[in-house]
Amino acid sequence: MTTRDTKLWTRIRIPIEDMDPWDLLDPLQADGSRLMAWASPDGSQSFVAIGEVSEFRPTGPERFEASKKWWIPLLNTIETTDALGRPAQSNAPLCLAGFAFRADPNRSDAWSAWGDGALCIPQILVWRSNNATEVNFVVRNDPALRPQSLAELQDQLSEWMTRSQPIEHIASVDVAERDTTPENASTLWQQRVRAAQEKMATGQLQKVVLARSAAYVPSQAQRFDPLATARSLRQRQTRSTTFLIRRKDGQAFLGSSPEVLVRLDQGRVETVALAGTRKRSTESEIEDVALGADLLDSSKDRTEQDLVATAIVDALQPHVSDIDIPGRPEVISLPDVQHLRTAIHGNLCDNSSIFDLVEQLHPTPAVGGLPRQAALNWLDDHEHLDRGWYAGPIGWIGAEGNGEFVVAIRSVLMGPEEASAFAGCGLIADSIPEDEWEESQIKLQTVRQGLAVEAHVGLER
């Protein structure tokens, strides 16, 4: 039995005046802090996590099982108290996690520092939920050192808060697409679509999601700003989860994902099947509604959606009971695109965890394909892209086992002088290659329109 004396870490929960944790991002970026920021689509939950007291970097095909084996014993060494040392509870994230789309020992230069995945316990986490804000500090469980460690962290947070300020305006960006994309990129893409359909004609493949990237550079004398970009995406993509992971070297991965991989709350499991795409109309509301109706009536898109929903239900079966799925999808409208969406619910089985759910669900047919392994094998041979963490699971876990992971789509890998955006399209037997190219263009624009630069940059780089 683990007693308080054998606890290695103490998480100290302190309520503070209600604030938006994202207001802290500017001083954190200025200080070069390692951080993760998160904001739910309805605005009910958001956090900023800073630093780390413990980290695990899983590798290889067993990375989800390895993560589970690292996390569960470590959880038993952490206690949660209030500022006076009394036992307390917090629904805030305790462990942050991100994984690449696939385990790969031969990462591209752009993704080499990110690896196959990372989990960490942050040193400071500012959490806002339902209009109440708290801070969680994690310190060593040493009675002689704990008061001083806590005071130092509180002083540091106070200094960041003094320098923080809400950002009401995001600088627009003048960017040019880097000329590394072949002039015949559209032709090559459509050739790959047809190659996938040839495989489908043999019955070896039902669906595959083909991804591509586009690289952007800022105008002369400007530098990309990942924090301002994340804010811009959060302001624009109000029906998506916006996330930002910033490394100490300044490289960042961020995006606004409309796709929940899995959400677990008090044993209740929630996920979504998301597939099928139409653009939004900028001309009239009537035309926009008509596009949504066309999506709902499209046999191609409904077939793709049914494939995704069925595969998700099958993946959940070993760990989820009482699965509930509606008979008809809904249309979800985002600023640039519309999708078919099916909400799926159930109850977590005993002895299962959120890591089991992530492992079973990832990659969903919405980002990989069907059958899963056949689709991944096809992508190995035809996609010619290191997706890195694009389309991988990004999320958090709480002390009670609750948590949430999203699929990291509509995302960008960003450094000061280059931003690489990613997009994928689900291909089935009756896909139209030209339409799939256009869909990828629309999805890339979701990120492209949110790119932001530093507000104060000199004329010389």
Side-chain angles (χ1 to χ4, degrees):
M1 181 176 178
T2 302
T3 65
R4 178 169 180 174
D5 290 339
T6 63
K7 298 289 187 180
L8 297 178
W9 304 96
T10 299
R11 176 172 65 157
I12 304 169
R13 175 185 182 271
I14 301 177
I16 63 172
E17 184 178 350
D18 189 33
M19 64 171 290
D20 184 350
W22 284 49
D23 291 349
L24 294 168
L25 291 179
D26 275 322
L28 292 174
Q29 174 167 266
D31 291 356
S33 301
R34 169 180 173 171
L35 64 88
M36 179 175 178
W38 179 280
S40 63
D42 58 6
S44 64
Q45 294 181 335
S46 61
F47 70 77
V48 168
I50 310 144
E52 78 287 337
V53 297
S54 184
E55 181 182 37
F56 179 61
R57 302 295 297 266
T59 59
E62 304 300 323
R63 57 204 171 121
F64 297 116
E65 180 64 21
S67 297
K68 178 180 176 180
K69 290 180 178 178
W70 173 81
W71 167 241
I72 292 178
L74 183 62
L75 175 60
N76 293 328
T77 69
I78 304 171
E79 65 173 359
T80 300
T81 73
D82 62 14
L84 298 177
R86 299 172 299 194
Q89 287 187 328
S90 173
N91 293 322
L94 180 55
C95 177
L96 313 178
F99 299 91
F101 177 74
R102 295 189 71 181
D104 187 348
N106 301 307
R107 290 267 167 232
S108 64
D109 290 344
W111 285 108
S112 61
W114 295 81
D116 292 343
L119 296 87
C120 83
I121 298 174
Q123 192 171 45
I124 301 173
L125 185 136
V126 183
W127 164 255
R128 185 174 191 265
S129 179
N130 299 318
N131 300 316
T133 306
E134 66 182 65
V135 183
N136 285 264
F137 300 101
V138 179
V139 298
R140 278 281 182 183
N141 185 26
D142 185 334
L145 299 177
R146 191 165 55 233
Q148 179 180 349
S149 298
L150 176 60
E152 290 174 354
L153 293 178
Q154 288 177 306
D155 288 346
Q156 177 63 83
L157 180 62
S158 177
E159 194 268 337
W160 282 327
M161 286 183 169
T162 300
R163 294 159 54 198
S164 69
Q165 57 180 349
I167 300 297
E168 298 179 357
H169 175 71
I170 304 299
S172 60
V173 189
D174 178 19
V175 303
E177 188 165 350
R178 179 180 286 279
D179 190 21
T180 57
T181 304
E183 293 183 3
N184 60 343
S186 174
T187 300
L188 292 174
W189 173 272
Q190 294 176 42
Q191 288 175 352
R192 291 170 185 164
V193 174
R194 295 186 181 94
Q197 291 173 320
E198 291 175 3
K199 193 76 169 179
M200 293 172 193
T202 69
Q204 300 176 58
L205 201 60
Q206 289 179 284
K207 175 188 175 180
V208 68
V209 181
L210 183 62
R212 71 185 187 93
S213 65
Y216 302 94
V217 295
S219 297
Q220 188 175 8
Q222 290 185 325
R223 293 189 301 176
F224 282 127
D225 185 334
L227 306 189
T229 300
R231 284 198 186 97
S232 176
L233 290 172
R234 181 185 177 187
Q235 290 175 2
R236 178 174 172 78
Q237 304 295 329
T238 56
R239 301 194 68 177
S240 297
T241 297
T242 303
F243 62 89
L244 163 68
I245 302 171
R246 183 188 184 278
R247 294 170 46 83
K248 284 185 177 181
D249 61 10
Q251 194 178 40
F253 180 57
L254 61 143
S256 279
S257 174
E259 185 172 357
V260 175
L261 180 66
V262 64
R263 182 180 293 122
L264 179 60
D265 185 12
Q266 303 300 316
R268 187 65 173 165
V269 177
E270 176 185 343
T271 184
V272 299
L274 195 73
T277 303
R278 288 291 185 279
K279 66 180 181 180
R280 298 294 304 274
S281 172
T282 58
E283 301 298 325
S284 70
E285 183 178 350
I286 294 176
E287 182 180 353
D288 193 52
V289 171
L291 287 168
D294 178 68
L295 174 61
L296 194 58
D297 293 337
S298 165
S299 60
K300 180 265 181 185
D301 292 290
R302 287 291 292 272
T303 297
E304 183 183 349
Q305 172 70 5
D306 289 344
L307 289 171
V308 172
T310 300
I312 288 175
V313 170
D314 290 344
L316 290 174
Q317 294 284 358
H319 299 287
V320 179
S321 63
D322 305 319
I323 297 175
D324 177 48
I325 178 170
R328 180 179 173 88
E330 63 178 345
V331 175
I332 178 174
S333 297
L334 306 173
D336 304 298
V337 294
Q338 305 178 71
H339 296 296
L340 293 178
R341 179 184 183 276
T342 302
I344 302 169
H345 300 86
N347 297 315
L348 187 70
C349 295
D350 293 341
N351 301 318
S352 294
S353 73
I354 196 168
F355 286 111
D356 296 314
L357 300 177
V358 171
E359 183 174 18
Q360 285 293 113
L361 290 171
H362 176 76
T364 70
V367 293
L370 285 170
R372 177 185 288 180
Q373 194 56 52
L376 293 176
N377 291 341
W378 188 91
L379 291 172
D380 283 342
D381 295 334
H382 295 85
E383 191 170 73
H384 309 305
L385 172 70
D386 181 8
R387 293 192 183 188
W389 285 29
Y390 161 71
I394 303 290
W396 58 270
I397 307 106
E400 304 301 318
N402 299 331
E404 181 175 356
F405 283 81
V406 299
V407 182
I409 57 176
R410 314 297 147 77
S411 53
V412 57
L413 179 66
M414 178 177 283
E417 300 189 7
E418 180 174 288
S420 295
F422 299 83
C425 296
L427 312 178
I428 61 173
D430 57 353
S431 294
I432 299 173
E434 295 82 0
D435 291 350
E436 300 298 341
W437 173 260
E438 179 61 25
E439 180 180 321
S440 73
Q441 293 282 74
I442 293 170
K443 289 177 175 177
L444 287 170
Q445 282 302 305
T446 298
V447 175
R448 163 66 183 82
Q449 293 174 6
L451 296 178
V453 295
E454 292 181 1
H456 305 290
V457 178
L459 296 179
E460 296 183 1
R461 279 187 171 174

